[in-house]
Amino acid sequence: MCAANTLKALYRDLIKQFEAAGIDTPDLDARFIIEERTIFDWSDIVTRPDSPIDDSTKDLILSDAKCRLDGVPLSRIYGQREFWGLNFSLSEDTLDPRPDTELIIDLALQRFSSEKPLRILDLGTGSGCILVSLLSEFPNATGYGVDLSFGAIKMAKHNAHENNCENRAHFICGSWGDAIMAQNPAQSFDLIASNPPYISNRVIPTLSRDVQNHDPILGLDGGDDGLEAYKKIFPQLKLLLRKGGTGLFEIGYDQQIDVMRLAEDAGFALRTVHQDLARNPRVVEISCGDK
C-alpha cells in the first residue's frame, strides 16, 4: 500500500492501485474514501494538494482501500448508499440500491405530474429506498413496504425514520401481495412499484464479486428463469392496483418480452417499457385494463 502523507499524493496512489485492480471508477472511489475519512473534499484536492494527512487517518484510508481492493463495495464498507439524493443505511439483508432503479422514481413523477398518488405499495422493499424516495416526492401519500426478510424490514423502518417519513411508511414482513391482502383484503393502491429478484439462479455464479459476496441471495434469485417473482405478483395485482393506477416494475435487460407476456396474461394493459441510461429495457409500466 502507498506511503504518501499529503492529500494529492495519497489520492494519486489510491487511483493507481484501483486502476491496477481493474476497478471501474478508480478516481471516484479514491475521492469517496478520502472524503469519508478526512475533512477534505474534491475542491481541496485541487486547491490544497499539499495538505498533510496524519498517520491515524492515513491508516483508516488504507484499511478502507484494502477492503475495496478485496472486492468490498464502498457502500458495504461504510454501510450506506445515496439514492435519489437521500441517504440509506444498508445491512447484509438489503440489496445495494443501484442508480438504474432511480428510473422508477423518475417515471412515477412523470406519470403523476398532476393528480398525485395517495397510496403507494412497494413490493420487495429491501432498504426501503423506493418507498421512502417516493414518499419524499409525494408528501401527502402514505405507503406500505413488503419484504420477506425481517432484517430488511428492520432496516427499511430505520431508513424511513432517518428520512423523516416514518409516520407515513408502514412495513410488513411477508410474501408479496399476500402480506397486504392478509392484513386488509380491501386495500388498493394508486401506485405499485417493485424491484423484485429477477436474476436466474444459473447466472448468479457469474456475477461480479461485489454482487455475489455482498448482496443477499433472497434479493437476487428469481428462480431458474428469473421470472418467479413476476409470476407470483402479477396475478395478485388485480386486487391491489386500483382502476387507473400505475404499476412500475424493474426488469433484467433481456426480460422485456417475457415480463410483458406475463403482465398481459394477468389482464393488464401494458403502457410501455422504459429504457435506462444504457438504453437497456429497465422498467415495465402497466395499468389496470382489459387484455
Side-chain angles (χ1 to χ4, degrees):
M1 298 296 284
C2 61
N5 283 87
T6 66
L7 180 58
K8 188 65 173 286
L10 181 59
Y11 172 65
R12 286 176 170 171
D13 271 342
L14 292 178
I15 290 176
K16 184 178 179 180
Q17 293 178 59
F18 292 159
E19 285 177 337
I23 291 174
D24 290 338
T25 55
D27 55 337
L28 292 177
D29 286 25
R31 187 192 310 176
F32 191 92
I33 291 174
I34 287 172
E35 290 179 347
E36 282 291 316
R37 291 302 191 183
T38 73
I39 62 172
F40 303 116
D41 59 20
W42 170 240
S43 65
D44 295 312
I45 295 174
V46 174
T47 62
R48 302 166 59 190
D50 296 326
S51 298
I53 304 295
D54 64 73
D55 288 341
S56 61
T57 300
K58 187 179 75 171
D59 288 345
L60 289 173
I61 290 172
L62 297 184
S63 177
D64 293 348
K66 184 180 184 303
C67 289
R68 186 69 191 101
L69 290 167
D70 288 340
V72 183
L74 291 175
S75 57
R76 298 298 181 181
I77 294 172
Y78 299 113
Q80 63 179 12
R81 164 73 77 175
E82 181 178 306
F83 182 89
W84 200 253
L86 305 172
N87 286 323
F88 289 88
S89 296
L90 306 179
S91 73
E92 62 184 10
D93 301 296
T94 62
L95 284 178
D96 184 352
R98 270 63 172 186
D100 286 337
T101 303
E102 292 183 338
L103 180 58
I104 289 178
I105 316 302
D106 186 49
L107 293 171
L109 291 172
Q110 294 178 39
R111 178 56 62 189
F112 293 94
S113 59
S114 53
E115 183 181 353
K116 309 300 183 185
L118 295 178
R119 292 178 55 78
I120 300 170
L121 174 62
D122 176 14
L123 294 170
T125 194
S127 65
C129 64
I130 291 177
L131 180 61
V132 170
S133 297
L134 289 169
L135 292 177
S136 76
E137 293 291 345
F138 300 115
N140 292 323
T142 58
Y144 283 82
V146 174
D147 203 286
L148 194 59
S149 165
F150 178 78
I153 290 295
K154 183 178 178 180
M155 187 55 65
K157 288 181 177 180
H158 168 80
N159 286 323
H161 174 77
E162 290 298 305
N163 287 287
N164 303 310
C165 65
E166 70 272 21
N167 293 331
R168 297 185 291 122
H170 312 280
F171 297 98
I172 302 172
C173 189
S175 178
W176 306 124
D178 290 335
I180 285 288
M181 291 185 285
Q183 184 189 76
N184 183 350
Q187 290 190 90
S188 64
F189 297 88
D190 306 303
L191 171 61
I192 298 178
S194 181
N195 176 21
Y198 55 71
I199 299 174
S200 166
N201 51 30
R202 299 187 182 98
V203 173
I204 290 175
T206 71
L207 299 175
S208 68
R209 287 189 302 165
D210 289 12
V211 176
Q212 279 194 67
N213 297 338
H214 301 284
D215 275 335
I217 191 68
L218 190 64
L220 299 173
D221 189 350
D224 289 344
D225 58 4
L227 300 171
E228 286 304 309
Y230 307 106
K231 292 175 183 177
K232 293 176 180 177
I233 293 170
F234 285 169
Q236 301 172 335
L237 293 183
K238 281 285 189 178
L239 299 175
L240 294 171
L241 188 61
R242 72 163 179 80
K243 186 176 181 180
T246 293
L248 297 169
F249 295 87
E250 184 166 339
I251 63 172
Y253 74 95
D254 59 350
Q255 293 177 321
Q256 175 177 351
I257 293 174
D258 290 330
V259 175
M260 288 168 57
R261 173 180 51 80
L262 289 172
E264 291 170 351
D265 287 349
F268 290 94
L270 183 74
R271 283 180 173 157
T272 189
V273 178
H274 301 272
Q275 296 180 333
D276 59 24
L277 292 177
R279 305 196 71 79
N280 290 317
R282 180 59 58 186
V283 176
V284 168
E285 180 180 355
I286 65 173
S287 63
C288 283
D290 296 329
K291 294 200 300 179

